[in-house]
Amino acid sequence: AEEFDIIIQVSNFHYARGGFWYSMYMGTAGNILNLNDVIMGKEIFLIGALLTIALFHFSIFMMRKELRYTLHFSLFCITVAIGIDMVGQYLIPRVIPGMDLSTVILIWYSSGVWIVFLLIQYVHELFKSRISTIIKNVFLGYAIIFQVLYILTDPAFYSRTGYVSNMIEIVGYLCTVVIVAIGIRSGIKSGWMNVISMIIALAAYTHDILFWTNLIRNDFGEMFYLGLFLFIFIQMVIQAQRIKLFHDNEIAAELSFLQAQIKPHFLYNTLNTFVSMSYFDMDKARSLLTDLSHYLRRSFDFKDLSQFVPLKNEIELAKAYVEIEKARFEERLEVVFEVPEDLEVNVPRLMLQPLIENAVIHGILPKQEGGKIDVLVKQEAKQLVFKVKDNGIGMDTKKLLNILRQEKRNSVGIANIDSRLKKLYGKGLKIESSLGTGTEVTWYIPLNGRSD
């Protein structure tokens, strides 16, 4: 015949919103199998990407539990992956035999309410405020109430609430935009990127709600997968920035701690030296006071807590420290600087002066006759070479290994500097020492990035 009818009977005994959601595809068996492969491949890729992202952020949380938002983002990605599968190709039911339709519907509806809550929880962690706390608690209550409803009632009953839950979920996505907007108003960075990602996710989800309920029709179908991909991508960029900021703040706090290591006895002895010197040599006392001023100015430079400072600042701090110690110990201490005067380059801060201080305290002063320290900074090819060499008492191999193995919290000297250099360039301090001969410490700063 030129025309024919296809009649399909649909039972809604187990699900209140049954029926065809999409247009039928007709074609040869090969056409239908190819279409199935495309849809299956798209879903496997998206679910695999979500689970990989979830595992990555969960690993971050396990290593740094301060970053709680990574845990919420991980749980959000896992829940989204489960929800996608429950309305897609049923990969999970294929893996778990015996999972019936009621269980699939339960997991699907449950994932919907928890996706919204976890997204709000995640945004709340990023942009905490009184309003975000209220919104989070309200949607936690919503998630618990509906979860109990889904568990205690039959799918044929609770699936009638689908339209209500859809509207609540849209309100939840709008609330995430509100939370981010409040964060922007409070001056929190990365807010606009979050707003853009939230609006994309909200627009895609709203479109698909209208599409699934046949309120709108179009040729390109669902937008959720594309919206979700863009949302996750933008969030990954934001989280990379936040992790970098966390790392920078941690380093800044560490540097702040190092800068605060002005030992009371050092200040006490220096001031005593100044007072004594003022009785017989006022000019030298003024010079010592100037050196102390330079030393304190560089040591307490809290305006800029970045890892790097101009080389001249590091040299100025080291020279100020040396002048103070030479004033105190006079002929027992000799320090010779061989450093560039006009080299414009940034170097990691607080490395040169602590190593000179270590040479003075642990190398030279234990010797009754004192000794000499040579400080060398020079450019070789594409790197700066730093060297602090003393002819002090030296140390044996066992003591040297113990110093380098000290935990960072117990060391503001050699161990800390060695660790920081390894993090920055992959190569730490090179230390050569022997008892009765002295110690030589060498390190390298690449002028074009990380060392090979």
Side-chain angles (χ1 to χ4, degrees), residues 177-224:
V177 177
V178 171
I179 293 172
V180 176
I182 294 173
I184 293 175
R185 190 174 180 181
S186 303
I188 300 177
K189 295 181 178 180
S190 75
W192 283 110
M193 290 183 67
N194 266 293
V195 167
I196 293 171
S197 69
M198 299 298 174
I199 290 175
I200 290 173
L202 174 62
Y205 185 74
T206 304
H207 170 276
D208 283 6
I209 291 293
L210 299 175
F211 180 77
W212 292 334
T213 53
N214 293 316
L215 295 177
I216 61 172
R217 306 302 299 170
N218 54 57
D219 294 331
F220 45 85
E222 296 174 324
M223 297 293 295
F224 181 69

Side-chain angles (χ1 to χ4, degrees), residues 160-327:
R160 299 177 186 275
T161 66
Y163 292 107
V164 176
S165 61
N166 287 343
M167 294 304 105
I168 295 176
E169 288 164 12
I170 291 176
V171 172
Y173 293 128
L174 283 172
C175 287
T176 62
V177 177
V178 171
I179 293 172
V180 176
I182 294 173
I184 293 175
R185 190 174 180 181
S186 303
I188 300 177
K189 295 181 178 180
S190 75
W192 283 110
M193 290 183 67
N194 266 293
V195 167
I196 293 171
S197 69
M198 299 298 174
I199 290 175
I200 290 173
L202 174 62
Y205 185 74
T206 304
H207 170 276
D208 283 6
I209 291 293
L210 299 175
F211 180 77
W212 292 334
T213 53
N214 293 316
L215 295 177
I216 61 172
R217 306 302 299 170
N218 54 57
D219 294 331
F220 45 85
E222 296 174 324
M223 297 293 295
F224 181 69
Y225 285 173
L226 176 60
L228 179 63
F229 175 80
L230 292 175
F231 171 79
I232 295 292
F233 176 77
I234 295 174
Q235 289 300 316
M236 289 287 287
V237 173
I238 293 170
Q239 292 209 31
Q241 292 175 342
R242 290 185 67 87
I243 291 172
K244 179 180 182 299
L245 180 63
F246 176 83
H247 177 68
D248 291 343
N249 289 340
E250 188 178 53
I251 291 175
E254 179 182 325
L255 290 172
S256 178
F257 171 73
L258 288 173
Q259 288 172 305
Q261 300 306 299
I262 307 299
K263 299 177 179 63
H265 75 266
F266 172 74
L267 287 176
Y268 176 78
N269 292 334
T270 301
L271 291 174
N272 271 349
T273 303
F274 168 75
V275 171
S276 300
M277 195 175 293
S278 65
Y279 286 111
F280 60 87
D281 193 342
M282 199 60 195
D283 290 337
K284 192 169 183 180
R286 291 193 189 96
S287 177
L288 176 61
L289 192 59
T290 300
D291 291 327
L292 179 61
S293 173
H294 290 163
Y295 177 77
L296 294 176
R297 178 166 59 87
R298 291 300 180 198
S299 296
F300 291 113
D301 182 14
F302 293 108
K303 292 181 180 179
D304 179 12
L305 287 176
S306 62
Q307 294 191 66
F308 299 90
V309 295
L311 175 61
K312 63 180 181 181
N313 289 18
E314 279 291 284
I315 293 174
E316 181 181 334
L317 173 65
K319 286 184 175 180
Y321 168 78
V322 166
E323 291 302 319
I324 293 170
E325 296 292 54
K326 285 171 68 175

Side-chain angles (χ1 to χ4, degrees), residues 14-33:
H14 301 288
Y15 183 65
R17 302 166 67 195
F20 280 93
W21 287 3
Y22 311 106
S23 299
M24 287 181 60
Y25 288 92
M26 300 186 67
T28 66
N31 296 146
I32 299 302
L33 289 174

